Every structure is written in C-alpha cells, then in structure tokens.
Amino acid sequence: MEPEIEDKTLELMNTSVMESQNHVDDLSPKKTTVLTKLSNGPVMTGSRKRPSEGNNDKEKEHCISLFDQWSETDQVEFVEHLISRMCHYQHGHINSYLKPMLQRDFITALPAQGLDHIAENILSFLDAQSLCSAELVCKEWQRVISEGMLWKKLIERMVRTDPLWKGLSERHQWEKYLFKNRTTEVPPNSYYHSLYPKIIQDIETIEANWRCGRHNLQRIQCRSENSKGVYCLQYDDDKIISGLRDNSIKIWDKQSLECLKILTGHTGSVLCLQYDERVIVTGSSDSTVRVWDVTSGEVLNTLIHHNEAVLHLRFCNGLMVTCSKDRSIAVWDMASPTDISLRRVLVGHRAAVNVVDFDDKYIVSASGDRTIKVWSTSTCEFVRTLNGHKRGIACLQYRDRLVVSGSSDNTIRLWDIECGACLRVLEGHEELVRCIRFDNKRIVSGAYDGKIKVWDLQAALDPRAPASTLCLRTLVEHSGRVFRLQFDEFQIISSSHDDTILIWDFLNVSTNGQSEGRSPSRTYTYISR
C-alpha cells in the first residue's frame, strides 16, 4: 500500500482507539487494548482483544465518516489493506456477504431498459430442462419466456438439427405450427410447452421399438412373371422405386402400395438404381446404364461403356460413378440427363467391383478380390487399400471418415478411411452380407441367410463395448436372400430374392401384444397421421 493510504489507515485506527479510550475509563483495566504498529507490518493487539459488546458504535461511525471523505480509489485500496490483515475465516465470511451483492438479475433488468429481445435471445439457448427451471425463477422470467415463444423456438431448433424431430413434425403434422411469425394462427407458448414432452415420449417409444424389434409389417408382392427377385430399391415419402430380376423397374405408391408404373427397356436384370427429383439412373446385367425421366418414365439416355454387368452406381452434384463385373470403375461428368461424358476409368481391382460410394474427397470401391480401394475424387488417383476381409466384399457405405463393409466371409467391418485401420468386426450373420446401411445411431445389414440385423453403431465404435452387446435385434421375415435395404429413423424397407418388398414400421406399432422380434400375424397399411 502507498504511504499515504497507510497513514490514513493508521490515522483512522488511532483516532478510533483514542475515542474508545474515552469511553472505557469506567471499565476494568483488563479490557483496555494497546495498539502497536510494527514496521511495514500489520497493527497487532496487546494482551487480549476487546470483545464486541456494541460499545464501539461511535468509533464505527467516525471511521465511516472518514472513509466516506476519500476517493473511490483510496477506499478500494484501504479495504484491500484491511482484508490483507484478516484471517481465512474472516475472508470466507466477507465472501459470503459479497456474493449476493455481486449477482444481477439481468433477465429482469433488460426488459426494464426496453431490451426484451436480448433477454429472449439469451434464454433461447437453454435446453428443455433449463428452460423449465427458468420459468420457475420469477414471474418476470416466465413472462419473457412466454412472450418470446421460447418453447416454440426450442422445438424449431430441434427440427432443424435432428432428422428424427423433423420426421415426427411431418408425420404428426405439428410442423404447420412452426417457422411462422407471431400471428393469430400460431398457438400460444403453452401449446408448445405441452407439446415438447409429448415429442420426447414419441421419441422414447420409437427408440424402444427399435431396441425390442417391435414393428408393423407391410408387404409388397412384386409378382414377377418370369425370374423372381428384387435386386435394388430406393424410397421417399411418396413412392418406392425397385429394380427387378425380370429386367423391369417398378414404381410403387408408398401409401396404397399399388404399382403406379413399370419401366421397361433393359434386356437384363436391373441390378442397381438411384433417383432424384429429375431422373432415375439404372444399371443392368445387360452392361448398360440408362437414364429415365422420373415423372414420365421416358428413357433420356443410354450409356454403353462397361463390357459386363453394371453392378452398382452412385451420382451426386454432377458426378456419377459406376462399377462393373469387368473389374473397372467409370467416373462420369453429368452436365444434364442427356449430356453425360466419361471422365476417367479407374483400374486396380483384380475381380468384379461390386459396390462404389463417394463424396467430395474420396471414391471408395469394394471388390470380390477382398479389398476396398480408396481414390481421390478430384484427381481420380489411387490413395490406399483397406485389407482385412477374408473373402469377397459385397457391399459398403462411406460417410465422413467411416466405411462400413459387408462380405461373403459373413462379417461386417468398420474402417477409418484416413488411416486404413479396421475399427471393429461384427459377427452374427450366417451367410454372405449382401447389403448394409448406417446412420448416426445404427447399422442395418441384410444377408443371404434371409435375416436383417440392427447394430448399435456408437457401441461398435467403442473398443470397450463387449461384442455381445452390439447386435440390438435380428428381424426374420424374408423367405429368401436379402438383396437390398434402406432405412431412416422410422422404418426399414428391404427387398429379397423371395420377390417381396417389406416395410418394417417402427413408428405406428400395433399394441396387440405381439412378441418381440416377430411381425404381427397380419399386415398393416401405413397411414400418415
């Protein structure tokens, strides 16, 4: 402390001592106190401290009057000097005293300054549990949350970021109350407050249905005239498009399950397909790739390049990759449905290339030669090989750093594409794993044993998780080999050599007491609520 402040401290204390002495002339000499100033040290007491008996009020008032005459800076330094002379217990007592003084109810204070929007914005970052707690703080906080429609904003945030929430909003039709400005058409905040726990309950029910295998089953009989079998499919909310062994492409209504259209033109089995809002692209055992108008069914283009069956294809953002039994991979530029040109042919596999996938960084291919090869999407140059499967690889999916593959060695492998390491081997299928898909939670696989297995992806990525905990459920309904499947948060749609397409619905589950892992004895028609 500066000498000036130290002098003020001593002056204040000595003055207090002198006044105290005048008040204690009639007291016992044992209660008198002598202050001794040590050089550069604290003021120490003599024989014993005078107990606080309320007889020093005038001393306190005099100290405060002197204190009030100083500048704020001098006051702070003086208090710091006093605190430095105190013991740990005193520090704790002062800390407890200061804490509530330092707290500010900014949520209440901001609206008083005309800044309601800032208070609303701050509270809009809370999760559901915190928002519930905030409503109980006081009436003003509750008013800010209610008038700011913060439960509505929380639900909107979840719908934007979580596919499960988005799907529920569409299927249960409460999306019509979201993403609208405050008008008479929008329900009050209380509606959204009560809606939130109902959504959570729906989500918990769906997750339990997945874990327990509870589902309603819809079955499409494709009734192929000659060769039976559905090799490939893709679906959306309105339709299912399937490629059949009898050379045809059939389009089904997702609600009524009726066949809307049959596309013909291939002279061999339709082995792979993909569609978007404009076109359907198919690959066939006749070695060609055909491009169809998704609305009219008209053939827009036919690509003749591969020497043998086109086993798989993918297209996205003006790029298409096809692979073939002829061991090659073709990379195409898609300027338009009618303007598709060959960019590069990738050669390196020593057997049929059964599947390809790609993103902006890598093209990934898998082959009967037991290897997965990684190529640069931009340069088409070879990057690395993933080795581990003991027999040919029939399927894979690639996203971010993760590759999941299925093989005729009956196993599924998870790979880190950047380093080529095998992260986990999943065992359980009894025959060739023919199709595989994964999202953020699950892996779903189909095999020639006729079974569909649902796996816990997050557990599979955890090396500490026991192998026995990885398979959540085995679904058995197909009577033949499972060729292809696709799934989302609410359903699996699969196709098989048994000439059927099955829709496994985990959302609209019957409560008739069906046993776990098996479908109900009757089928149910999907009705969007």
Side-chain angles (χ1 to χ4, degrees), residues 112-141:
Q113 301 295 322
L115 300 174
D116 299 66
H117 62 288
I118 297 179
E120 292 172 8
N121 191 45
I122 292 170
L123 294 179
S124 70
F125 288 94
L126 297 179
D127 59 23
Q129 184 176 355
S130 302
L131 199 57
C132 280
S133 299
E135 285 185 311
L136 301 177
V137 171
C138 63
K139 290 184 178 180
E140 182 62 19
W141 283 46

Side-chain angles (χ1 to χ4, degrees), residues 372 374 384-388 401-405 413-425 461:
I372 296 170
V374 182
R384 66 178 57 89
T385 299
L386 309 183
N387 290 298
R401 290 182 62 126
L402 184 62
V403 175
V404 180
S405 59
R413 287 181 180 255
L414 282 65
W415 312 81
D416 184 329
I417 196 170
E418 295 295 348
C419 65
C422 180
L423 306 175
R424 173 75 79 164
V425 180
L461 292 173

Side-chain angles (χ1 to χ4, degrees), residues 165-226:
W165 283 72
K166 180 174 176 57
L168 280 174
S169 73
E170 295 169 350
R171 286 163 172 78
H172 289 177
Q173 298 182 6
W174 40 265
E175 64 170 343
K176 61 186 177 183
Y177 300 119
L178 303 177
F179 307 107
K180 292 183 178 180
N181 296 327
R182 301 181 190 183
T183 64
T184 54
E185 298 178 1
V186 177
N189 187 65
S190 58
Y191 166 81
Y192 301 96
H193 193 174
S194 61
L195 175 62
Y196 190 92
K198 294 177 183 177
I199 298 171
I200 296 300
Q201 185 176 6
D202 285 343
I203 291 173
E204 290 174 350
T205 300
I206 292 168
E207 294 298 325
N209 290 342
W210 276 95
R211 287 192 304 271
C212 300
R214 290 191 295 264
H215 61 274
N216 283 342
L217 191 70
Q218 303 166 261
R219 188 186 305 268
I220 298 176
Q221 297 286 354
C222 293
R223 296 185 176 86
S224 303
E225 294 183 0
N226 301 313

Side-chain angles (χ1 to χ4, degrees), residues 367-426:
S367 167
D369 64 9
R370 309 179 185 182
T371 68
I372 296 170
K373 292 189 179 294
V374 182
W375 319 75
S376 168
T377 303
S378 57
T379 65
C380 293
E381 297 299 321
F382 172 75
V383 177
R384 66 178 57 89
T385 299
L386 309 183
N387 290 298
H389 279 296
K390 296 178 174 57
R391 299 187 67 180
I393 302 165
C395 56
L396 67 74
Q397 183 185 348
Y398 156 55
R399 191 178 70 188
D400 299 327
R401 290 182 62 126
L402 184 62
V403 175
V404 180
S405 59
S407 166
S408 57
D409 63 12
N410 304 349
T411 69
I412 297 164
R413 287 181 180 255
L414 282 65
W415 312 81
D416 184 329
I417 196 170
E418 295 295 348
C419 65
C422 180
L423 306 175
R424 173 75 79 164
V425 180
L426 304 179

Side-chain angles (χ1 to χ4, degrees), residues 405-461:
S405 59
S407 166
S408 57
D409 63 12
N410 304 349
T411 69
I412 297 164
R413 287 181 180 255
L414 282 65
W415 312 81
D416 184 329
I417 196 170
E418 295 295 348
C419 65
C422 180
L423 306 175
R424 173 75 79 164
V425 180
L426 304 179
E427 297 179 309
H429 281 295
E430 299 166 5
E431 294 186 44
L432 178 150
V433 182
R434 180 67 172 80
C435 50
I436 199 153
R437 304 297 294 173
F438 70 88
D439 62 9
N440 294 328
K441 299 177 184 177
R442 289 175 276 266
I443 302 170
V444 182
S445 59
Y448 277 6
D449 58 12
K451 298 175 182 177
I452 294 173
K453 288 184 177 288
V454 181
W455 311 80
D456 186 331
L457 174 60
Q458 296 306 316
L461 292 173

Side-chain angles (χ1 to χ4, degrees), residues 33-53:
T33 303
V34 178
L35 293 175
T36 306
K37 177 179 181 300
L38 301 179
S39 177
N40 296 324
V43 174
M44 305 298 292
T45 61
S47 59
R48 65 178 63 178
K49 293 183 180 179
R50 182 180 64 216
S52 177
E53 297 178 348

